[in-house]
């Protein structure tokens, strides 16, 4: 059972329309709307509705978080990569994302507004601060995708049609000031008392560090020069400072495999996550997270009992596999190399193995040894076995053989990410083709170490950066026996390319890669060099000759806004 049971929101409450429909959505009493939300029960209902607004951001396919990067290419859908940078201001996926973020912001604004008038309870001020946290998170999500956006920090009871676009500087100033307040607020609980589903001070320190880190890179250099130069001289130092406060002298004490186990979702690694459970969604067969189903090739149809019903739209690229070194135990913990007749039989049930993919460094002798190690006769009916992941030969991979790229489009063609598997019987019984009840983690200890390391590199403290990485790699199961020397890093190893490689391995499948590459000014270089779907850099340029490193502001938002809204460069 999750620690929080969210109430689902019916109706819409967005920046560009009135909010009266929402304000009646959960009025289960005979009192007027204001009266209901001024009761303890109504105020809690409103707060829970605010949290539930996070789910639609991640229930949909994660185009804006992983698409158009070096690590993920076309899987089942062979047009994902080619169409990704052809988005226009009329793209419905972008409009839905933009609108959902502002729905969440308006829900947070409503909690804050009613918090001033609702019945006095011991959690009233806490819920106000939780709403400020969620609102700041939404703005941080928006500003990374769209640049400067309208800042709207009041609850609307009727349609307000004029919202000027705020500058990039003003949006970041607001985000940072909010998280700075929340990181020390006596009203916001700490992680241990709040749990992973509610806003808390550890998570506030985490996002404060990440906001400082992101602003620090907005320095007018590279293709990012088309955005405002708003970096401040102490931003990287502050990123390291607050990352350490989020770390709180803790070291990762569980393997990646155990950290993301569906039975371990409240572990100490996590600071904050979007929570799912069959008890708290409207439709358990379709309202869950899609994270489990995105990363791999398609896993067949109904003839394969209990498969993942794989979307397989964002299949890991060959370059992604090559980021893992031979001694890195996270590789086998992240990817599924043994496909059983029933996919989830991997988790504790003996059944026939149908497909096996050896790691890219495996020799023919390694593969034969794996086949021979079969005391229960599970490997006698293999349909495919071999090293489908070849050693790197030449980059860009558009010059390499097509074998791996072609296999990504085949059923069971390549390994998939298993990190987010929901293997529970309840999930298998209720799940549709895209649904699981696995939480989506948005802030955790491992990434806090990576934020600190990146900030130390940028402040010429390579030894401290190396210390962060070596501590992170002491996570159980990360360094294979006998590879201690190879997996130890030195100050001389520390650069942004190394950090992006480490982030690929540690954060595989988590929704951060597009913002990682955009933040570090590596988006165009990495996408065009390492994604074997071979999209030329010219495709990422707009009609004005500028790179599309921001999303287009949805045309619907521009049309409804009476204030002048300039479109982003490239569109």
């Amino acid at each position: 059972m999750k620690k929080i049971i969210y109430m689902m929101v019916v109706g819409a409450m967005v920046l560009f329309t009135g909010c009266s429909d929402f304000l009646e959505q959960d009025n289960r009493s005979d009192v007027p709307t204001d009266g209901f939300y001024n009761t303890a029960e109504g105020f809690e209902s409103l707060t829970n509705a605010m949290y539930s607004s996070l789910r639609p951001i991640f229930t949909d396919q994660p185009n804006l978080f992983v698409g158009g990067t070096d690590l993920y290419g076309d899987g089942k859908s062979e047009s994902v990569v080619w169409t990704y940078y052809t988005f226009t201001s009329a793209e419905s996926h972008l409009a839905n994302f933009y609108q959902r973020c502002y729905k969440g912001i308006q829900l947070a604004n409503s909690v804050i507004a009613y918090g001033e008038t609702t019945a006095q309870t011991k959690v009233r001020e806490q819920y106000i601060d939780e709403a400020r946290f969620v609102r700041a998170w939404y703005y941080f999500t928006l500003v990374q995708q769209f640049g400067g956006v309208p800042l709207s920090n009041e609850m609307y009871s009727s349609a307000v049609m004029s919202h000027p676009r705020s500058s990039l500087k003003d949006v970041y100033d607001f985000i940072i000031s909010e998280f700075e307040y929340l990181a020390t607020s006596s009203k916001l609980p700490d992680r241990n008392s709040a749990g992973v589903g509610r806003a808390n001070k550890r998570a506030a320190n985490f996002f404060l560090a990440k906001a400082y880190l992101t602003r620090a890179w907005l320095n007018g250099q590279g293709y990012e020069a088309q955005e405002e130069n708003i970096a401040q001289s102490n931003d990287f130092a502050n990123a390291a400072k607050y990352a350490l406060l989020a770390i709180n002298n803790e070291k990762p004490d569980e393997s990646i495999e155990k950290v993301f186990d569906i039975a371990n979702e409240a572990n100490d690694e996590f600071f904050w996550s979007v929570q799912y459970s069959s008890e708290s969604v409207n439709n358990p067969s379709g309202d869950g997270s899609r994270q489990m189903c995105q990363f791999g090739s398609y896993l067949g149809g109904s003839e394969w009992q209990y498969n993942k019903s794989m979307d397989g739209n964002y299949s890991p690229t060959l370059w992604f596999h090559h980021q893992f070194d031979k001694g890195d135990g996270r590789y086998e913990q992240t990817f599924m190399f043994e496909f059983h007749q029933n996919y989830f039989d991997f988790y504790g049930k003996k059944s026939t193995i149908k497909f096996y993919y050896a790691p890219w460094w495996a020799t023919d002798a390694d593969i034969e040894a794996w086949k021979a190690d079969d005391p229960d006769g599970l490997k006698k009916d293999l349909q495919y076995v071999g090293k489908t992941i070849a050693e790197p030969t030449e980059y860009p991979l558009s010059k390499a053989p097509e074998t791996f790229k072609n296999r990504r489009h085949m059923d069971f063609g390549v390994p998939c990410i298993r990190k987010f598997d929901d293997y529970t019987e309840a999930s298998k019984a209720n799940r549709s083709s895209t649904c699981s009840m696995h939480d989506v983690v948005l802030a955790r200890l491992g990434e806090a170490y990576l934020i600190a390391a990146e900030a130390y590199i940028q402040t010429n403290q390579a030894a401290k950066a190396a210390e962060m990485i070596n501590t992170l790699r002491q996570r159980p199961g990360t360094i294979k026996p006998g590879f201690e020397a190879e997996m130890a890093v030195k100050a001389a190893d520390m650069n942004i390319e190394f950090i992006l490689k480490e982030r690929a391995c540690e954060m595989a499948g988590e929704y951060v890669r597009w913002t990682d590459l955009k933040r570090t000014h590596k988006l165009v270089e990495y996408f065009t060099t390492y994604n074997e779907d071979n999209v030329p850099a010219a495709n990422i340029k707009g009609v004005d000759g500028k790179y599309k490193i921001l999303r287009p502001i949805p045309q619907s938002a521009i049309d409804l806004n009476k204030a002048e809204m300039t479109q982003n460069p490239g569109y």
Side-chain angles (χ1 to χ4, degrees):
M1 176 72 70
K2 309 295 186 186
K3 289 184 179 294
I4 299 175
I5 301 298
Y6 297 151
M7 298 181 181
M8 299 306 293
V9 183
V10 178
M13 176 178 168
V14 296
L15 184 62
F16 304 107
T17 63
C19 62
S20 57
D21 287 345
F22 166 74
L23 293 179
E24 297 172 357
Q25 61 88 19
D26 197 30
N27 188 348
R28 295 169 293 173
S29 68
D30 294 328
V31 298
T33 297
D34 281 351
F36 177 61
Y37 286 110
N38 281 317
T39 67
E41 179 188 13
F43 189 54
E44 183 170 6
S45 169
L46 185 62
T47 304
N48 288 342
M50 173 192 70
Y51 277 109
S52 79
S53 74
L54 295 161
R55 285 203 191 112
I57 302 295
F58 300 102
T59 299
D60 208 349
Q61 289 185 1
N63 302 47
L64 302 183
F65 303 110
V66 301
T69 66
D70 57 328
L71 301 184
Y72 310 98
D74 285 342
K76 181 182 69 173
S77 299
E78 296 187 35
S79 61
V80 168
V81 169
W82 278 99
T83 60
Y84 183 80
Y85 285 106
T86 63
F87 284 164
T88 69
S89 59
E91 170 62 40
S92 60
H93 183 82
L94 285 168
N96 289 338
F97 176 81
Y98 191 87
Q99 184 184 67
R100 287 166 182 167
C101 286
Y102 275 109
K103 284 181 182 179
I105 288 168
Q106 276 300 294
L107 280 165
N109 285 339
S110 298
V111 172
I112 294 166
Y114 278 107
E116 298 301 321
T117 59
T118 193
Q120 180 64 260
T121 66
K122 64 180 181 179
V123 295
R124 181 181 67 85
E125 292 182 327
Q126 174 187 326
Y127 286 0
I128 293 173
D129 276 6
E130 289 182 22
R132 291 177 68 171
F133 178 103
V134 171
R135 182 177 65 182
W137 180 86
Y138 270 119
Y139 276 124
F140 187 41
T141 300
L142 281 167
V143 77
Q144 292 176 92
Q145 298 283 342
F146 297 99
V149 292
L151 281 171
S152 173
N153 296 324
E154 58 182 287
M155 182 185 74
Y156 298 107
S157 58
S158 60
V160 177
M161 307 303 292
S162 181
H163 296 274
R165 188 175 183 182
S166 299
S167 69
L168 193 66
K169 179 182 183 302
D170 287 347
V171 178
Y172 269 99
D173 284 349
F174 174 77
I175 294 165
I176 287 172
S177 67
E178 287 292 276
F179 282 129
E180 280 183 333
Y181 158 74
L182 293 164
T184 58
S185 170
S186 61
K187 305 163 192 172
L188 196 67
D190 60 28
R191 155 64 179 80
N192 291 338
S193 59
V196 298
R198 301 200 86 102
N200 59 82
K201 284 198 277 286
R202 289 283 289 281
N205 276 303
F206 174 92
F207 285 113
L208 180 54
K210 201 165 188 179
Y212 270 124
L213 183 73
T214 306
R215 189 174 72 174
W217 282 96
L218 292 168
N219 53 16
Q221 298 178 11
Y223 53 76
E224 290 281 354
Q226 63 195 55
E227 294 190 90
E228 298 172 57
N229 180 353
I230 63 168
Q232 297 186 15
S233 60
N234 61 348
D235 279 348
F236 282 122
N238 278 328
K241 170 185 173 181
Y242 288 104
L244 292 182
L245 288 173
I247 290 168
N248 195 32
N249 295 315
E250 292 184 9
K251 298 179 180 179
D253 60 2
E254 293 183 316
S255 68
I256 281 290
E257 184 173 37
K258 188 171 182 181
V259 160
F260 282 92
D261 192 301
I262 187 69
N264 191 33
E265 293 191 297
N267 65 78
D268 291 341
E269 170 88 13
F270 298 157
F271 302 153
W272 189 50
S273 58
V274 179
Q275 297 197 323
Y276 295 83
S277 71
S278 57
E279 296 91 347
S280 62
V281 299
N282 282 345
N283 176 17
S285 68
D287 287 343
S289 164
R290 290 191 176 192
Q291 195 169 19
M292 177 181 76
C293 306
Q294 294 299 324
F295 305 109
S297 59
Y298 188 59
L299 300 188
S302 59
E303 71 277 9
W304 291 86
Q305 186 183 16
Y306 291 145
N307 67 21
K308 289 173 72 166
S309 300
M310 197 78 170
D311 271 8
N313 290 315
Y314 298 96
S315 188
T317 59
L318 185 58
W319 165 255
F320 193 173
H321 289 280
H322 292 157
Q323 301 312 289
F324 291 88
D325 297 322
K326 185 175 182 179
D328 194 336
R330 292 173 296 190
Y331 193 31
E332 285 88 346
Q333 297 173 48
T334 297
F335 285 89
M336 179 67 78
F337 294 120
E338 297 179 5
F339 285 73
H340 291 247
Q341 174 69 46
N342 298 330
Y343 177 89
F344 290 102
D345 287 352
F346 176 85
Y347 299 98
K349 182 177 179 180
K350 293 180 179 180
S351 69
T352 301
I353 297 173
K354 293 291 187 179
F355 302 90
Y356 172 63
Y357 306 99
W360 66 263
W361 54 73
T363 64
D364 291 341
D366 292 331
I367 294 173
E368 291 304 313
W370 176 86
K371 291 169 65 177
D373 182 18
D374 188 22
D376 298 305
L378 304 182
K379 304 172 185 177
K380 61 183 180 181
D381 295 326
L382 284 166
Q383 293 184 13
Y384 181 86
V385 60
K387 187 169 68 171
T388 61
I389 307 169
E391 292 189 46
T393 53
E394 184 178 11
Y395 289 101
L397 280 173
S398 57
K399 299 178 182 178
E402 293 280 305
T403 305
F404 186 82
K405 175 184 173 183
N406 292 339
R407 291 197 64 85
R408 286 196 278 108
H409 306 310
M410 302 176 185
D411 289 6
F412 294 89
V414 294
C416 64
I417 290 178
R418 68 179 182 90
K419 184 175 174 180
F420 313 105
D421 283 355
D422 181 353
Y423 53 79
T424 60
E425 292 299 322
S427 177
K428 286 185 284 184
N430 290 326
R431 185 169 59 242
S432 73
S433 62
T434 59
C435 178
S436 89
M437 290 298 143
H438 215 311
D439 297 344
V440 176
V441 179
L442 300 182
R444 67 179 180 90
L445 184 61
E447 189 178 7
Y449 272 92
L450 292 165
I451 290 170
E454 184 177 328
Y456 282 137
I457 289 171
Q458 295 303 103
T459 53
N460 299 313
Q461 299 180 82
K464 287 187 176 181
E467 180 184 352
M468 292 292 107
I469 300 300
N470 283 323
T471 302
L472 178 61
R473 288 187 172 188
Q474 291 303 312
R475 175 193 299 283
T478 296
I479 301 177
K480 288 184 172 182
F483 288 90
E484 290 80 6
E486 289 89 339
M487 290 289 288
V489 300
K490 304 178 181 63
D493 301 323
M494 294 296 100
N495 54 41
I496 291 305
E497 288 74 18
F498 178 92
I499 289 296
L500 289 173
K501 173 183 168 72
E502 190 70 12
R503 287 186 71 89
C505 299
E506 176 72 17
M507 306 292 292
E510 298 176 59
Y511 294 154
V512 297
R513 191 60 174 186
W514 190 86
T515 51
D516 286 349
L517 295 182
K518 176 184 179 292
R519 178 182 69 249
T520 57
H521 307 174
K522 294 290 186 180
L523 184 61
V524 175
E525 176 191 344
Y526 271 47
F527 178 55
T528 58
T529 302
Y530 302 122
N531 192 307
E532 63 256 27
D533 287 292
N534 195 24
V535 177
N539 285 27
I540 312 175
K541 285 187 176 180
V543 293
D544 56 3
K546 294 183 177 180
Y547 284 116
K548 299 176 181 179
I549 58 166
L550 291 171
R551 317 299 185 182
I553 300 294
Q555 191 61 44
S556 57
I558 295 175
D559 292 342
L560 287 168
N561 196 347
K562 299 303 182 183
E564 182 179 356
M565 286 277 285
T566 56
Q567 187 53 272
N568 281 328
Y571 304 98

